[in-house]
Amino acid sequence: MHLHLLFLLALCGAGCMAAGPSYSLRGSWRVSNGNSSLELPATVPGYVHSALQQHGLIQDPYYRFNDLNYRWISLDNWTYSTEFKIPFNRSEWQKVKLIFDGVDTVAEILFNNVTIGKTDNMFTRYSFDVTNVVKDVNSLKLRFQSAVQYAECQSKAHTQYRVPPECPPVEQKGECHVNFIRKEQCSFSWDWGPSFPSQGIWKDVRIEAYNIAHLDHLTFLPLYDNTSQAWTIEIEASFDVVSTKPVGGQVTIAIPELKTQQANHIELQHGQRIVKLLVKIRKDVTVETWWPHGHGNQTGYNTTILFALDGGLKIEKAAKVYFRTVQLIEEPITGSPGLSFYFKINGLPIFLKGSNWIPADSFQDKVTSELIKSRSSCFCIKCFLSRFPGRGLHFPVGQNIKGWRDGSGVKSTDSSSRGPEFKSQQPQPSVMGSGALFWLQLLLQSAVDANMNTLRVWGGGIYEQDEFYALCDELGIMVWQDFMFASALYPTEPGFLESVRKEVTYQVRRLKSHPSVIIWSGNNENEVALRVNWFHVNPRDLGTYINDYVTLYVKTIREIVLSEDRSRPFIASSPTNGVKTMTEGWISKDPYSTQYGDMHFYDYFSDCWDWKVFPKARLVSEYGYQSWPSFSTLQKVSRQEDWSYSSRFSLHRQHHGNGNNEMLHQVQLHFQLPQRRDPVRAFKDTIYLTQVMQAQCIKTETEFYLRSRSEIVNGEGHTMGALYWQLNDIWQAPSWASLEYGGKWKMLHYFAQRFFAPLLPVGFEDEGVFYVYGVSDLHKDYPTKLTVRLHRWSSQKPLCTFVSLSAVIKAGEAMVLFQMPVSKLLKRCKECTRDTCVVSFYLSTDNELFSPTNYHFLSSLKDAKGMVKANITVSISQKGDLFVFDLKSSTSAITPFVWLDVGSIPGRFSDNGFLMIKKELSVLFYPWKPTSKSELQQAFSVTSLTDLY
């Protein structure tokens, strides 16, 4: 437990009253089960499962079948308790409060054996007045009730009509009635995650004491007035005023970099009071705006606010304030019925490139722990290259050219000619701090390293911790923020709605100062669930459920959002038809329309290499395919008898109905299944193929959305966003993620680094014609040349090359650069057939900006002829904090999907899963913790498609 005395020593002279003390109760507690047969030390913040594991009473909850074996933990009622001394004289303070930033979930709170309140919502802060019960030495208990049992009781009490779904599908092995408790919805299970509805104090708990008045929350909301063309900062401060007399004083706001200082007089009455202030920024002062990653800098301004109140009380706070505007544009499109659906940031249309975020762990105390117990080094690629100017590093995604390049494309060695759009695209240092930020920073940095600019915080998880949003601000990641309601109907009793009101008010006030948050969304998929009748409700009862839907998301959540935050848009659901949904009574007649709003799309049966199966929608906020995580990730939670695709473990770990078979179905469309007899080797090969399949499927689908941004075909198009499902994993299991549990990059994430590049060529066939589009997310028009090459699978030397005339790709647009019938293409390369050749292509500009090299398969690879098994050897050398892997192939044939692996050593390669079209090439490895050349050599393995047969 720690004492944080918030005395403003620099400000307080004689006669000055300091703000009160804040005493954290985090640290060592005790936890016991319902019948007191178990009692043990526990850490707060923390969970029951974590305490049991730390003291050796249970294994890793993720190991094998422990999600079932440890179900008893969630069904028991646990008590957290502690005793503590108050390190200040309580008689000197008018009010003492006990504050919980997060309790998960249902608990009775006893302070000195007096019940002071109850909790039933994981997503809100609880504050209790303990002025009259606090002593010098105090006891504190939280008597938790099983979330599973509580949800069941709440469901049984709702007798008027059912509120589905009652239980998850049987393959999810989960608990029932999660929609009756305001708790992380996926904690009862999901189709990618386990059921661990644990109990615990998951955020900070503290004692605060004060006189006169206490500042409860403070928000800064910059707003731009188009009429006056000036910025105003809307400041909102919430006070608990304990003085019975009015409290006057002065507020001073200072932003030195913007030459801004403003003073206002305020007067506070007794009770809960909100003060709103407006600070105008002078028009003659240049304000640098916050931009998403890839579009500019993430400039923020240091701001201080000082409240000098009667009685000598002074309260000072500091914050970083960011200026940016966001608009959701829904307007008519020439040549298309319906409306557009895209975002403008600072007036510029932005294509949303990214993924969906789920909770990083079933136990949030692990997210804020040091999973990798060391501080990683800071990697600067430019510094590395400047130290080794004679080293030619050639990467497998393209041709040997000037400058450094990884899977995302090539950056010029001469930055003097770059426009401002290149500044945020330079290789970023991978700074991974220790402690609370490490785990989040690892995952979010990986998103940025894959050229993403957006993450959707999915509505079945949690409102993420403060550090998540601060990192998104710093990294330029736009956040599509769902409220925590997902794939279910919900009750609307007065008590439930009141809890939701407190939750939404608290979360909007907590998050609205972050420029990264660009939209609020009321729920995940509940509009479409009602319209399509996912839960098989009686059509006669549909009106009741629609009324409940409107009551919850429109009359409750939407009204709060509109009153609290006028700086960003709100939609009631995702997917939605936007304005069209509103006009149709909030439940759209066709929620799958491609001509309005956003869309979720999944198809596991059609051929994912056929781009025509994908919707030409306005924005696609979910889509994806499953794959298995790497063997080294699974090995940590399994044993040898589990290492086959049909083992009991493999079936248990798959929570998506028929998921394992769906993966094999897609694999078999274009690849042969593994043929090796060793069962463990066959399992590893199958894992590899599922990752190849997933990467190739999502590449094809994403590239279709990227090239559809600037065109309308048959009334459809103008696609302005692609957020695949999903970014990260919650445990070690098959899922849609591109980052495994622990942060290891799947093949898909390396592909994303390429297909989300700021300049990209996209190739595809339509009616026997091969097309190449140029896609640009740059801020300037660029004259661009396209180079197309045909290779025989049996030879790395190009058979023929086509270089187009320079064409200008406009900023932020896509255009056709090349088209030729495949028959003509093959005829011009006389030794080529569909089975024997592959097409590669890349873009280049006069500014030495290069795209990644892309490729197009002319046939399924199971039908390809001329492939030769490659024996790829490696030489590893260390250069500062980095390692260089020099690869050499024993064959002159092209080797597809070369996969480099260093087992469980944390880190990532500069590129992976590539087509090796050179006999020799070099790839960088960025370790996330200290390692050595010998350790890497021992762990290293390489796999390619030709190794499997």
Side-chain angles (χ1 to χ4, degrees), residues 77-104:
N77 300 317
W78 296 82
T79 297
Y80 273 78
S81 60
T82 187
E83 292 187 354
F84 60 94
K85 292 181 179 179
I86 294 291
F88 53 83
N89 188 344
R90 56 193 171 86
S91 65
E92 296 178 357
W93 303 98
Q94 293 173 279
K95 192 166 188 177
V96 182
K97 289 197 302 187
L98 173 66
I99 298 172
F100 292 90
D101 285 336
V103 177
D104 188 4

Side-chain angles (χ1 to χ4, degrees), residues 291-308:
W291 286 96
H293 174 67
H295 293 278
N297 298 321
Q298 292 75 50
T299 303
Y301 293 91
N302 293 323
T303 302
T304 58
I305 183 167
L306 172 64
F307 297 91

